Amino acid sequence: MNAIEKFIAAVRDSHPDIEWLYMEGQCYNFFKILRSVWPQAECWYDQMDGHVYTLIDGKWYDIRGQHLKVSQHCSPLNHQQQDKPNRWGARDLRYLIP
């Protein structure tokens, strides 16, 4: 397990709802967390699944860990032509604690 996978596992294991949170609407914010530690991280968006993956040093990641490949529908997130991802989290009104 590399340093990125260890970091992801620590975040994922920090709360039972964390994986669900970052798979259901907060995937871009998880990319931002990874980029804060690995500045070379690139944001890729899967148009079909509506999910963000992070590309770091040629390897794909999300809250589930490393992926050997991503969908053919995945491409670099274009902040100019797509819905602004910085708005995605603000639109999520769900709370882990009611």
Side-chain angles (χ1 to χ4, degrees):
M1 187 180 300
N2 67 33
I4 300 168
E5 291 172 291
K6 287 179 185 177
F7 180 85
I8 291 171
V11 172
R12 185 180 57 240
D13 296 344
S14 69
H15 189 277
D17 292 333
I18 290 296
E19 183 173 337
W20 170 81
L21 179 73
Y22 289 121
M23 287 300 298
E24 299 292 332
Q26 294 294 328
C27 52
Y28 179 75
N29 285 326
F30 189 67
F31 155 73
K32 291 185 351 184
I33 290 168
L34 292 175
R35 187 182 59 190
S36 74
V37 179
W38 291 276
Q40 72 274 29
E42 299 174 24
C43 184
W44 283 62
Y45 184 65
D46 185 327
Q47 294 285 342
M48 295 301 286
D49 290 339
H51 184 63
V52 167
Y53 291 91
T54 303
L55 182 63
I56 304 173
D57 299 332
K59 296 182 180 173
W60 303 100
Y61 300 93
D62 70 5
I63 190 62
R64 297 169 292 184
Q66 183 179 340
H67 297 267
L68 297 178
K69 63 180 182 174
V70 294
S71 161
Q72 64 185 15
H73 305 287
C74 207
S75 61
L77 183 68
N78 185 326
H79 291 76
Q80 270 62 42
Q81 294 181 347
Q82 295 167 315
D83 187 17
K84 307 290 187 234
N86 59 314
R87 297 180 186 157
W88 298 350
R91 291 192 303 239
D92 187 352
L93 301 177
R94 299 169 295 169
Y95 291 92
L96 294 176
I97 300 172

